[in-house]
Every structure is written in C-alpha cells, then in structure tokens.
Amino acid sequence: MFDNYNNVKRWELWGILWIVLIGSLLHFTYEWSGNSYIVGSFSAVNESVWEHLKLGYFPLLLFSIVEYWFVRNKVRNFYFSKTIGIIAMELFIIISFYFYTAITNKPILFMDIGLFILGAVICQLISFKLMKLNIGKSSNIIWFSLFILIGCIFVLFTFYTPELPLFMDYNTKKYGV
C-alpha cells in the first residue's frame, strides 16, 4: 500500500486547489440560481458560519468521488482520512472564526477567506498523513457513512436551522434560508 507516495500527494495538493476554487464559487451559486432550494442544499444560503462550512464539505465530496477511483489501491483508509480531514477543517474554521471575532467584534472578509484556504490545506494535509496509517479497511464503511452523514446534516440544518450562533446570518441577524 501507499507505494506511489508522490501520486497520492499530487491528488491531495490538487484537492486543495479544487476545494478553494469550487468552494469559492459555491458562495455565489445559491443567489445565481434564483435562490433554488436544490442549489441551496449544497451552497451557502446566507452569511452564517454554518453555511460557509458547506463550502468546504461539498467540494471535498465531489473531489473525493473522483480521487477514490485513482488512489483506492494505493492507500489504506481513504474514507477515514477524508472524514477526519473534513472534521479538522470545519473545527479549525469554527474555532479560528470565533476566536478572531471575539477580538475584533466583527467578521473580516480577508480573514474569512484566509481561514477557508488554510482549512482546505489542513484538511488535505491531515487526509494525506492519515492515508498512510494502517487502521484497517474494514472500518472504511463506518467512516464512509459518517462522511455522508455530515453532508446530510449540512442539508438538513440548511432548511431546519437551529437558533444557535453558528447558524446566525451575520448580515441579517436571522437564522436559516
């Protein structure tokens, strides 16, 4: 396993670029679609932290679908790695965002963009490092299920939004779509 280290590494590096570019586009696709609920299920529907977390998850999901077919025989635990990577990205963004806004008392666009880019790097780096571990392929179905469950939760909470700070639109001070 992991016999073609550079090939897998290249996939993870391309994944960073993909997440950043597609995630950035997804910031605008809901509005571009005329506020389509279908597009809103995977795009940011408002300026809440929660909706911006979707901008990392869904590009990673699409990239992972393609990547899997090229690296599945070269790594040990693809889904475990991707699941832990996306969780790390999302936690990094949440913690960093609330840390800096506690100091500044407001979101700052260039900081948010920087956190998103750094989050994508963290996601892919952690993913790459974990692919080398020998955790056992049999648990991959559990990790795959958790990865998909995270996406389902993103969609569910877009339309059934908890009234918590994570879900509040920073522009309108409202929750949900």
Side-chain angles (χ1 to χ4, degrees), residues 55-88:
L55 305 181
Y57 175 83
F58 287 103
L60 178 64
L61 172 65
L62 291 175
F63 187 80
S64 296
I65 289 169
V66 175
E67 179 186 19
Y68 176 78
W69 295 105
F70 290 93
V71 303
R72 71 180 184 270
N73 295 323
K74 296 174 177 65
V75 301
R76 292 187 173 95
N77 43 32
F78 184 81
Y79 298 115
F80 167 75
S81 302
K82 291 300 175 181
T83 304
I84 299 301
I86 195 61
I87 290 170

Short mmCIF file of all heavy atoms in Angstrom, two decimals, residues 55-88:
data_model
loop_
_atom_site.label_atom_id
_atom_site.label_comp_id
_atom_site.label_asym_id
_atom_site.label_seq_id
_atom_site.Cartn_x
_atom_site.Cartn_y
_atom_site.Cartn_z
N LEU A 55 -19.11 25.08 2.14
CA LEU A 55 -18.23 25.41 1.02
C LEU A 55 -16.95 24.58 1.03
O LEU A 55 -16.27 24.50 0.01
CB LEU A 55 -17.88 26.90 1.04
CG LEU A 55 -19.07 27.87 1.05
CD1 LEU A 55 -18.58 29.31 1.03
CD2 LEU A 55 -20.02 27.59 -0.09
N GLY A 56 -16.63 23.97 2.15
CA GLY A 56 -15.51 23.05 2.20
C GLY A 56 -15.96 21.61 2.00
O GLY A 56 -15.32 20.85 1.28
N TYR A 57 -17.08 21.27 2.61
CA TYR A 57 -17.53 19.88 2.57
C TYR A 57 -17.91 19.42 1.15
O TYR A 57 -17.43 18.38 0.69
CB TYR A 57 -18.72 19.65 3.51
CG TYR A 57 -19.26 18.25 3.37
CD1 TYR A 57 -18.67 17.20 4.07
CD2 TYR A 57 -20.32 17.96 2.52
CE1 TYR A 57 -19.13 15.90 3.91
CE2 TYR A 57 -20.79 16.67 2.36
CZ TYR A 57 -20.19 15.64 3.06
OH TYR A 57 -20.63 14.35 2.90
N PHE A 58 -18.76 20.15 0.47
CA PHE A 58 -19.28 19.66 -0.80
C PHE A 58 -18.23 19.61 -1.92
O PHE A 58 -18.21 18.64 -2.69
CB PHE A 58 -20.56 20.40 -1.20
CG PHE A 58 -21.72 19.96 -0.35
CD1 PHE A 58 -22.19 20.75 0.68
CD2 PHE A 58 -22.31 18.72 -0.54
CE1 PHE A 58 -23.23 20.33 1.49
CE2 PHE A 58 -23.35 18.27 0.26
CZ PHE A 58 -23.81 19.08 1.28
N PRO A 59 -17.31 20.57 -2.00
CA PRO A 59 -16.23 20.39 -2.98
C PRO A 59 -15.35 19.17 -2.64
O PRO A 59 -14.92 18.45 -3.54
CB PRO A 59 -15.43 21.68 -2.88
CG PRO A 59 -16.42 22.69 -2.44
CD PRO A 59 -17.32 21.94 -1.48
N LEU A 60 -15.10 18.96 -1.34
CA LEU A 60 -14.32 17.78 -0.95
C LEU A 60 -15.06 16.51 -1.34
O LEU A 60 -14.45 15.55 -1.83
CB LEU A 60 -14.01 17.78 0.54
CG LEU A 60 -13.23 16.56 1.03
CD1 LEU A 60 -11.85 16.50 0.39
CD2 LEU A 60 -13.13 16.55 2.54
N LEU A 61 -16.35 16.48 -1.14
CA LEU A 61 -17.15 15.31 -1.51
C LEU A 61 -16.99 15.01 -3.01
O LEU A 61 -16.69 13.87 -3.38
CB LEU A 61 -18.63 15.54 -1.17
CG LEU A 61 -19.61 14.48 -1.67
CD1 LEU A 61 -19.35 13.14 -1.01
CD2 LEU A 61 -21.04 14.93 -1.43
N LEU A 62 -17.18 16.01 -3.84
CA LEU A 62 -17.05 15.80 -5.29
C LEU A 62 -15.64 15.37 -5.68
O LEU A 62 -15.46 14.45 -6.48
CB LEU A 62 -17.43 17.07 -6.05
CG LEU A 62 -18.90 17.46 -6.01
CD1 LEU A 62 -19.10 18.81 -6.69
CD2 LEU A 62 -19.76 16.40 -6.65
N PHE A 63 -14.65 16.02 -5.11
CA PHE A 63 -13.27 15.68 -5.42
C PHE A 63 -12.97 14.25 -4.97
O PHE A 63 -12.31 13.48 -5.69
CB PHE A 63 -12.30 16.66 -4.76
CG PHE A 63 -10.89 16.45 -5.17
CD1 PHE A 63 -10.44 16.95 -6.38
CD2 PHE A 63 -10.00 15.75 -4.37
CE1 PHE A 63 -9.12 16.76 -6.79
CE2 PHE A 63 -8.70 15.55 -4.77
CZ PHE A 63 -8.25 16.05 -5.98
N SER A 64 -13.46 13.87 -3.80
CA SER A 64 -13.20 12.55 -3.25
C SER A 64 -13.82 11.44 -4.09
O SER A 64 -13.25 10.35 -4.20
CB SER A 64 -13.71 12.46 -1.81
OG SER A 64 -13.01 13.34 -0.99
N ILE A 65 -14.96 11.71 -4.69
CA ILE A 65 -15.60 10.71 -5.55
C ILE A 65 -14.66 10.36 -6.71
O ILE A 65 -14.47 9.18 -7.04
CB ILE A 65 -16.96 11.22 -6.07
CG1 ILE A 65 -17.97 11.25 -4.92
CG2 ILE A 65 -17.47 10.35 -7.21
CD1 ILE A 65 -19.26 11.99 -5.25
N VAL A 66 -14.05 11.36 -7.31
CA VAL A 66 -13.12 11.13 -8.41
C VAL A 66 -11.80 10.56 -7.89
O VAL A 66 -11.29 9.56 -8.41
CB VAL A 66 -12.87 12.43 -9.20
CG1 VAL A 66 -11.81 12.24 -10.27
CG2 VAL A 66 -14.17 12.94 -9.82
N GLU A 67 -11.26 11.18 -6.86
CA GLU A 67 -9.97 10.76 -6.33
C GLU A 67 -9.96 9.30 -5.91
O GLU A 67 -8.97 8.58 -6.13
CB GLU A 67 -9.60 11.65 -5.14
CG GLU A 67 -8.28 11.29 -4.50
CD GLU A 67 -7.98 12.07 -3.23
OE1 GLU A 67 -8.92 12.64 -2.63
OE2 GLU A 67 -6.80 12.10 -2.85
N TYR A 68 -11.05 8.86 -5.31
CA TYR A 68 -11.12 7.49 -4.80
C TYR A 68 -10.75 6.47 -5.87
O TYR A 68 -10.02 5.52 -5.61
CB TYR A 68 -12.52 7.20 -4.25
CG TYR A 68 -12.68 5.77 -3.80
CD1 TYR A 68 -12.16 5.37 -2.59
CD2 TYR A 68 -13.33 4.83 -4.59
CE1 TYR A 68 -12.28 4.06 -2.17
CE2 TYR A 68 -13.45 3.52 -4.18
CZ TYR A 68 -12.92 3.14 -2.97
OH TYR A 68 -13.03 1.84 -2.56
N TRP A 69 -11.23 6.66 -7.08
CA TRP A 69 -11.00 5.69 -8.14
C TRP A 69 -9.54 5.65 -8.58
O TRP A 69 -9.10 4.66 -9.16
CB TRP A 69 -11.93 5.95 -9.31
CG TRP A 69 -13.34 5.72 -8.87
CD1 TRP A 69 -14.28 6.67 -8.62
CD2 TRP A 69 -13.94 4.47 -8.55
NE1 TRP A 69 -15.43 6.09 -8.16
CE2 TRP A 69 -15.25 4.73 -8.12
CE3 TRP A 69 -13.51 3.15 -8.59
CZ2 TRP A 69 -16.12 3.73 -7.73
CZ3 TRP A 69 -14.38 2.15 -8.21
CH2 TRP A 69 -15.67 2.45 -7.77
N PHE A 70 -8.80 6.69 -8.30
CA PHE A 70 -7.40 6.72 -8.70
C PHE A 70 -6.43 6.32 -7.59
O PHE A 70 -5.31 5.91 -7.87
CB PHE A 70 -7.03 8.12 -9.22
CG PHE A 70 -7.67 8.42 -10.53
CD1 PHE A 70 -8.89 9.09 -10.59
CD2 PHE A 70 -7.07 8.03 -11.72
CE1 PHE A 70 -9.49 9.36 -11.80
CE2 PHE A 70 -7.67 8.29 -12.94
CZ PHE A 70 -8.89 8.96 -12.98
N VAL A 71 -6.85 6.44 -6.34
CA VAL A 71 -5.93 6.15 -5.24
C VAL A 71 -6.37 4.98 -4.36
O VAL A 71 -5.64 4.59 -3.46
CB VAL A 71 -5.67 7.40 -4.36
CG1 VAL A 71 -5.14 8.55 -5.18
CG2 VAL A 71 -6.88 7.78 -3.55
N ARG A 72 -7.52 4.42 -4.60
CA ARG A 72 -8.08 3.41 -3.69
C ARG A 72 -7.16 2.21 -3.45
O ARG A 72 -7.15 1.64 -2.37
CB ARG A 72 -9.45 2.95 -4.17
CG ARG A 72 -9.44 2.09 -5.40
CD ARG A 72 -10.87 1.70 -5.79
NE ARG A 72 -10.88 0.81 -6.91
CZ ARG A 72 -10.94 1.19 -8.18
NH1 ARG A 72 -10.99 2.48 -8.47
NH2 ARG A 72 -10.96 0.30 -9.14
N ASN A 73 -6.36 1.85 -4.44
CA ASN A 73 -5.45 0.72 -4.26
C ASN A 73 -4.07 1.16 -3.78
O ASN A 73 -3.17 0.33 -3.65
CB ASN A 73 -5.32 -0.06 -5.57
CG ASN A 73 -6.64 -0.70 -5.95
OD1 ASN A 73 -7.38 -1.17 -5.10
ND2 ASN A 73 -6.95 -0.70 -7.23
N LYS A 74 -3.91 2.44 -3.55
CA LYS A 74 -2.61 2.97 -3.12
C LYS A 74 -2.61 3.43 -1.66
O LYS A 74 -1.57 3.77 -1.13
CB LYS A 74 -2.22 4.14 -4.03
CG LYS A 74 -2.00 3.75 -5.47
CD LYS A 74 -1.76 4.99 -6.31
CE LYS A 74 -1.47 4.67 -7.74
NZ LYS A 74 -2.53 4.07 -8.49
N VAL A 75 -3.79 3.48 -1.04
CA VAL A 75 -3.90 3.96 0.34
C VAL A 75 -4.61 2.92 1.20
O VAL A 75 -5.26 2.02 0.68
CB VAL A 75 -4.64 5.32 0.40
CG1 VAL A 75 -3.91 6.37 -0.41
CG2 VAL A 75 -6.07 5.19 -0.05
N ARG A 76 -4.53 3.10 2.48
CA ARG A 76 -5.08 2.11 3.40
C ARG A 76 -6.50 2.43 3.87
O ARG A 76 -7.28 1.54 4.11
CB ARG A 76 -4.16 1.97 4.60
CG ARG A 76 -2.85 1.34 4.24
CD ARG A 76 -2.03 1.07 5.49
NE ARG A 76 -0.84 0.33 5.13
CZ ARG A 76 0.33 0.89 4.90
NH1 ARG A 76 0.47 2.18 4.99
NH2 ARG A 76 1.36 0.15 4.58
N ASN A 77 -6.81 3.68 4.07
CA ASN A 77 -8.09 4.03 4.70
C ASN A 77 -8.59 5.36 4.18
O ASN A 77 -8.60 6.34 4.90
CB ASN A 77 -7.95 4.04 6.22
CG ASN A 77 -6.67 4.72 6.66
OD1 ASN A 77 -6.21 5.65 6.01
ND2 ASN A 77 -6.12 4.27 7.75
N PHE A 78 -9.03 5.35 2.97
CA PHE A 78 -9.44 6.57 2.27
C PHE A 78 -10.54 7.32 3.00
O PHE A 78 -10.43 8.51 3.25
CB PHE A 78 -9.89 6.22 0.85
CG PHE A 78 -10.24 7.41 0.02
CD1 PHE A 78 -9.25 8.15 -0.59
CD2 PHE A 78 -11.56 7.79 -0.15
CE1 PHE A 78 -9.56 9.26 -1.37
CE2 PHE A 78 -11.89 8.89 -0.92
CZ PHE A 78 -10.88 9.64 -1.52
N TYR A 79 -11.63 6.65 3.35
CA TYR A 79 -12.77 7.34 3.95
C TYR A 79 -12.49 7.83 5.36
O TYR A 79 -12.96 8.90 5.74
CB TYR A 79 -14.02 6.45 3.92
CG TYR A 79 -14.43 6.12 2.53
CD1 TYR A 79 -14.41 4.82 2.05
CD2 TYR A 79 -14.83 7.12 1.64
CE1 TYR A 79 -14.78 4.52 0.76
CE2 TYR A 79 -15.20 6.84 0.34
CZ TYR A 79 -15.17 5.53 -0.09
OH TYR A 79 -15.53 5.24 -1.38
N PHE A 80 -11.75 7.07 6.12
CA PHE A 80 -11.32 7.53 7.44
C PHE A 80 -10.55 8.84 7.29
O PHE A 80 -10.82 9.82 7.98
CB PHE A 80 -10.45 6.46 8.11
CG PHE A 80 -9.72 6.96 9.33
CD1 PHE A 80 -10.39 7.15 10.52
CD2 PHE A 80 -8.36 7.23 9.27
CE1 PHE A 80 -9.71 7.61 11.65
CE2 PHE A 80 -7.67 7.68 10.39
CZ PHE A 80 -8.35 7.88 11.58
N SER A 81 -9.60 8.85 6.36
CA SER A 81 -8.76 10.02 6.15
C SER A 81 -9.56 11.24 5.73
O SER A 81 -9.34 12.35 6.23
CB SER A 81 -7.71 9.71 5.07
OG SER A 81 -6.93 8.61 5.45
N LYS A 82 -10.48 11.06 4.80
CA LYS A 82 -11.28 12.19 4.31
C LYS A 82 -12.24 12.69 5.39
O LYS A 82 -12.47 13.90 5.51
CB LYS A 82 -12.06 11.80 3.04
CG LYS A 82 -11.17 11.57 1.85
CD LYS A 82 -10.39 12.83 1.52
CE LYS A 82 -9.39 12.63 0.42
NZ LYS A 82 -8.62 13.82 0.11
N THR A 83 -12.80 11.79 6.16
CA THR A 83 -13.73 12.19 7.23
C THR A 83 -13.01 12.99 8.31
O THR A 83 -13.47 14.07 8.70
CB THR A 83 -14.43 10.97 7.84
OG1 THR A 83 -15.10 10.24 6.79
CG2 THR A 83 -15.43 11.37 8.90
N ILE A 84 -11.87 12.50 8.75
CA ILE A 84 -11.11 13.22 9.77
C ILE A 84 -10.60 14.54 9.19
O ILE A 84 -10.61 15.58 9.87
CB ILE A 84 -9.94 12.37 10.32
CG1 ILE A 84 -10.47 11.09 10.98
CG2 ILE A 84 -9.07 13.18 11.27
CD1 ILE A 84 -11.42 11.32 12.14
N GLY A 85 -10.20 14.55 7.93
CA GLY A 85 -9.74 15.78 7.28
C GLY A 85 -10.81 16.85 7.26
O GLY A 85 -10.55 18.01 7.60
N ILE A 86 -12.04 16.48 6.87
CA ILE A 86 -13.10 17.50 6.78
C ILE A 86 -13.52 17.96 8.18
O ILE A 86 -13.81 19.14 8.38
CB ILE A 86 -14.31 17.03 5.93
CG1 ILE A 86 -15.20 18.21 5.56
CG2 ILE A 86 -15.13 15.97 6.63
CD1 ILE A 86 -14.57 19.29 4.74
N ILE A 87 -13.54 17.05 9.13
CA ILE A 87 -13.86 17.46 10.50
C ILE A 87 -12.80 18.44 11.02
O ILE A 87 -13.14 19.45 11.64
CB ILE A 87 -14.00 16.23 11.43
CG1 ILE A 87 -15.26 15.43 11.06
CG2 ILE A 87 -14.02 16.64 12.90
CD1 ILE A 87 -15.36 14.07 11.74
N ALA A 88 -11.54 18.16 10.73
CA ALA A 88 -10.46 19.06 11.15
C ALA A 88 -10.61 20.43 10.50
O ALA A 88 -10.44 21.46 11.15
CB ALA A 88 -9.10 18.45 10.82
#
